[in-house]
Amino acid sequence: MKRIVPGVMMMVLAAGCGIEDAATTTEKTETPASVLARVERDNGNVVEFLELADGEVMVMEAGVYPNPPAAIDGIGPAAAWSKLTGRSDVPQALGIAQQRYELMRTPPRDAEGATERGESIFKDGLAAGSTSAAAYGPCDITWFQDNFCNAAYDWKMCLTNWGGGAYAQRGGVDYHKTAVCPTSGNVTLNIRDQVIRNVGAGGYLWYYRSGTNFDFRADVDNASGDTFHFAVNLNY
């Protein structure tokens, strides 16, 4: 593992919590991400494949507690799609993005914390619209920690029953796994102003991305008076 750089500091504020790399902080962009493909799992969870910019592909799942998240973290976008669907005929838009993704990255370390939870065959199709989880009940702390907090990474943050908002930010990241699960009310997950998703109590969102030396930022917004769990796991 790489050592934590002294310039990275953690700040706890009344409005939230975050990490900053003062040397690499960048302005948020306002270019919406392109949704390349969408897979609906047989448990009702929905997995989206999104391209933030050329070659910057992230995978996001919107789920309902206590449905288990898909065991796809740490593998490439096309491999994740094939694992979810049991098919090799990757959608054209995702295949093109995968080629750009491969050209722009160096071989990374294996993502730490990827676990097998069992899969079956799911439906697939191109995405249209947003994904937002329905509310079926609160998000148990132990369940959240087991799925999103307990693995080893270069840096990790796991906030439970937090309120008011939170964020995490760092440059020079090679892999991240991030999740939010409200325990009351509704919150918004904002990813660099390019992917914005609302999720209510009983639902959860998690996403990951592999790459080389990229800037990471995630915000939990619109959380005044609400509570949530928020996990950020980074390798760099």
Side-chain angles (χ1 to χ4, degrees):
M1 291 185 185
K2 300 180 185 175
R3 297 176 182 236
I4 295 178
V5 179
V8 178
M9 54 187 174
M10 182 173 179
M11 298 183 293
V12 180
L13 308 175
C17 175
I19 56 170
E20 291 275 0
D21 183 339
T24 58
T25 299
T26 57
E27 294 295 325
K28 290 183 181 179
T29 127
E30 296 183 357
T31 304
S34 299
V35 183
L36 305 170
R38 183 175 183 264
V39 175
E40 182 179 345
R41 299 182 59 199
D42 60 355
N43 65 4
N45 289 7
V46 175
V47 179
E48 286 186 319
F49 298 81
L50 304 105
E51 189 171 37
L52 304 176
D54 285 351
E56 297 182 16
V57 182
M58 57 170 272
V59 183
M60 170 179 280
E61 181 172 16
V64 176
Y65 170 81
N67 290 348
I72 54 175
D73 42 319
I75 63 177
W81 188 90
S82 294
K83 184 173 183 180
L84 288 169
T85 62
R87 295 167 49 178
S88 60
D89 55 333
V90 176
Q92 182 178 16
L94 181 58
I96 294 172
Q98 173 76 24
Q99 293 174 2
R100 291 194 289 259
Y101 163 83
E102 294 293 345
L103 287 172
M104 293 179 64
R105 67 193 289 264
T106 57
R109 296 173 301 167
D110 291 337
E112 296 167 294
T115 58
E116 293 293 332
R117 301 186 184 93
E119 294 296 331
S120 55
I121 301 300
F122 315 115
K123 296 181 288 183
D124 69 280
L126 293 180
S130 63
T131 58
S132 128
Y136 284 91
C139 184
D140 178 73
I141 290 178
T142 300
W143 178 91
F144 184 80
Q145 291 175 331
D146 286 347
N147 283 287
F148 302 114
C149 297
N150 289 343
Y153 291 87
D154 289 345
W155 189 90
K156 59 194 295 184
M157 174 176 74
C158 188
L159 306 177
T160 55
N161 290 327
W162 197 260
Y167 72 91
Q169 176 168 306
R170 186 190 167 95
V173 174
D174 294 334
Y175 176 81
H176 80 82
K177 178 180 179 180
T178 302
V180 62
C181 191
T183 53
S184 68
N186 297 272
V187 303
T188 300
L189 179 63
N190 185 336
I191 305 165
R192 292 165 46 186
D193 282 352
Q194 294 179 277
V195 180
I196 299 174
R197 297 288 188 271
N198 298 319
V199 59
Y204 66 92
L205 293 168
W206 79 278
Y207 70 106
Y208 74 91
R209 178 186 164 196
S210 296
T212 303
N213 195 34
F214 62 84
D215 293 331
F216 166 83
R217 171 139 187 163
D219 294 73
V220 180
D221 297 327
N222 299 323
S224 178
D226 302 322
T227 56
F228 57 90
H229 309 320
F230 182 44
V232 178
N233 303 280
L234 305 177
N235 283 338
Y236 42 83

